[in-house]
Amino acid sequence: MTTPTVPVKMVKVEVDGVAVEVDARDNLIEAARRANKHIPYFCYHPRLSIAAKCRLCLVETADMPGRLQAGCQVRVKEGMKILTNTPAVKENQRGVMEFHLINHPVDCSICDQAGECKLQDYYMDYDHQPSRQRTYKLQKPKREEFGPMVVYDAERCIMCTRCVRFMDEVAQEPQLAVVNRGDHSMISTFPGQPLDSNYSGNTVDVCPVGALLNTDFKFKSRVWFVNKSPTVCNGCSNGCNTYVESRANVLYRLLPRRNEEVNEVWMCDEGRLTYHATNEARVEWARKGRADAREEIGPALAIDEAKRLLAPFAGKPGVAIWISAQCTVEEAQGALTLGAQLGATKYLIGGKAAGKGDEFLVRADKNPNRRGVELLAQAAGVKLESGDAEGALNGVSALIAARTDGLANHLSSLERLEVIVALAQNEDAVSRLAQVVLPINSLYEQAGTLINYYGRLQRSWPATQAPRGDALPGWSWTGKLGAALGGPAAIETVQELFAQAAAKVPALAGIEFEKISEEGQVLPGLLPTEFPKRAPHPAPVAAV
């Protein structure tokens, strides 16, 4: 039985003379936003409770002339006239900004928040006057480590309490509080209890100034130097929507991207660090040979060497395909196609080891596309065996690994194999054992699709502009190898390979790669009946 939806009540208001129809639940800030007017604010956040502390959002309404009202706290009503640019409103904004800046250090040149700081922006828009402060500024603690990811600068803090409310209301781990009174107030952790929540990085995101900084990004780059691309976090099967910021071929940080049915506007700290695997310990050049005898030989010669090693095994028992659940849909499709061409007798699904999950955004399965690999294998009539099982490589003579995640757990079995061709992103024990290693792009360096734990198809865009050595998407390598072994010409674009997968998987039928939106889409019939307690998700009726 489904809960009946209640129709949204709309009311008509005017914002600076502009008539607009708004949701009756809107406050004045949101009503103005619908009329393309901006009411400045610090403490307000649409996902958090109302604090009404900063007083910057005070505006006038026609029914109460001369009396300023908090735009975050007052709801609209039918016929209300909102005034955002009267002399009284402007004077209040200048006064509030002056008070916020009385003790604020003018250290924008060394602050990581520069370029995305509301205090900077609002000073230029609503204040823009020299300080009248003629005494020493109040000094507070600086560079206080709240936890492994967050550092606090109390002198920059404007006491908006967004961070406190986020930890109380969203993370539901009350690890922050306001201590002291008056101009000595500041944010603090409880004695002996660091800010070690897996969602602590979101406090940095909601901080409107440079008081809370991410230690992983601190002093790495100015925000105006980086490019921002939409992608999907590969830290777990939830597939949180994110932005990745990069310059050349170096990634600098991941930030949450809004998707109400996946991660709302948040992400976990584990996911924020997944970009490190793109920057560190990469396999960059195609090579042959094991361990110290390895030799970088370039893409064409590496394909020829892999062909020479694999050709004797084609069509014979003992050929296995290892597919990591970290692969995109297209990479998995390429691996399955190559396996069919070689007559592989065993298909194994591997990936990162399971970890801890919670009732919010973190899933125990640390792989973003297990559901996608399983759907593709089912459509191809292939039985996927667990790569975690003991003796998973028994009876295998030649192995092609589409990503090496989890494969290092079978080192003793790998050492006895006659042939190992590894499509590897990072150096590990498997890449050192393989006779041929073909470098592949990380998820954040390529276009591709993933299917999360509840069956949502999502798309990723390449973030980096500069190539990294010989690295290519995994599907490109399997296509080249298949062509070298006598198969059809290699597919050149990710769109073609997705179309090939969509033609075989009923759930993907009729979907075009280029028409997949940034929000993704739920595949029909895949939604589970139960979800984690607080996890964002689409309504189960969507599966019907």
Side-chain angles (χ1 to χ4, degrees), residues 42 94 97 101 108 117-129:
F42 284 122
R94 284 191 292 270
M97 285 299 301
L101 289 166
C108 301
C117 174
K118 287 298 182 184
L119 202 60
Q120 275 185 333
D121 296 341
Y122 289 161
Y123 172 77
M124 300 304 294
D125 291 340
Y126 304 107
D127 188 22
H128 211 133
Q129 59 184 336

Side-chain angles (χ1 to χ4, degrees), residues 222-395:
R222 285 300 193 186
V223 296
W224 50 80
F225 290 141
V226 296
N227 299 306
K228 180 178 287 189
S229 301
T231 186
V232 176
C233 175
N234 67 356
C236 78
S237 60
N238 195 59
C240 290
N241 287 206
T242 62
Y243 288 109
V244 60
E245 294 186 343
S246 65
R247 185 165 77 241
N249 62 4
V250 178
L251 273 56
Y252 285 91
R253 64 176 175 176
L254 258 66
L255 295 172
R257 174 166 59 92
R258 178 181 175 181
N259 191 322
E260 298 296 336
E261 296 182 350
V262 180
N263 57 303
E264 295 176 350
V265 294
W266 320 112
M267 69 181 299
C268 74
D269 291 358
E270 291 176 2
R272 290 175 190 272
L273 301 178
T274 56
Y275 76 90
H276 282 284
T278 298
N279 294 337
E280 302 162 6
R282 288 296 297 275
V283 176
E284 295 194 344
W285 306 101
R287 65 176 190 247
K288 69 175 183 178
R290 289 177 167 174
D292 296 335
R294 64 191 184 190
E295 177 187 358
E296 294 173 356
I297 56 177
L301 292 179
I303 290 293
D304 288 343
E305 178 67 8
K307 172 190 173 183
R308 183 185 70 80
L309 293 171
L310 290 172
F313 294 91
K316 298 179 181 179
V319 178
I321 304 293
W322 177 278
I323 305 176
S324 169
Q326 291 283 324
C327 288
T328 64
V329 165
E330 295 73 25
E331 288 178 328
Q333 176 63 28
L336 289 167
T337 302
L338 179 61
Q341 183 181 335
L342 286 170
T345 53
K346 182 174 279 194
Y347 293 83
L348 298 158
I349 182 170
K352 293 182 179 178
K356 292 182 178 179
D358 61 27
E359 293 297 321
F360 190 31
L361 301 181
V362 182
R363 307 280 76 82
D365 181 5
K366 301 305 176 183
N367 300 285
N369 195 38
R370 185 177 299 275
R371 196 76 185 273
V373 175
E374 292 171 347
L375 283 174
L376 289 167
Q378 182 181 6
V382 167
K383 179 186 176 183
L384 277 180
E385 300 179 31
S386 172
D388 296 331
E390 188 176 347
L393 296 178
N394 289 346

Side-chain angles (χ1 to χ4, degrees), residues 491-510:
I491 290 177
E492 297 294 332
T493 66
V494 67
Q495 291 87 345
E496 291 179 77
L497 203 61
F498 179 82
Q500 186 182 96
K504 297 179 179 180
V505 180
L508 297 176

Side-chain angles (χ1 to χ4, degrees), residues 205-227:
D205 294 340
V206 299
C207 181
V209 294
L212 295 175
L213 297 176
N214 188 318
T215 55
D216 184 60
F217 181 68
K218 191 177 181 184
F219 302 146
K220 295 290 180 63
S221 175
R222 285 300 193 186
V223 296
W224 50 80
F225 290 141
V226 296
N227 299 306

Side-chain angles (χ1 to χ4, degrees), residues 178-196:
V178 178
V179 298
N180 301 330
R181 301 181 69 182
D183 60 358
H184 289 271
S185 295
M186 57 185 182
I187 307 298
S188 179
T189 57
F190 294 94
Q193 300 179 32
L195 179 59
D196 56 2

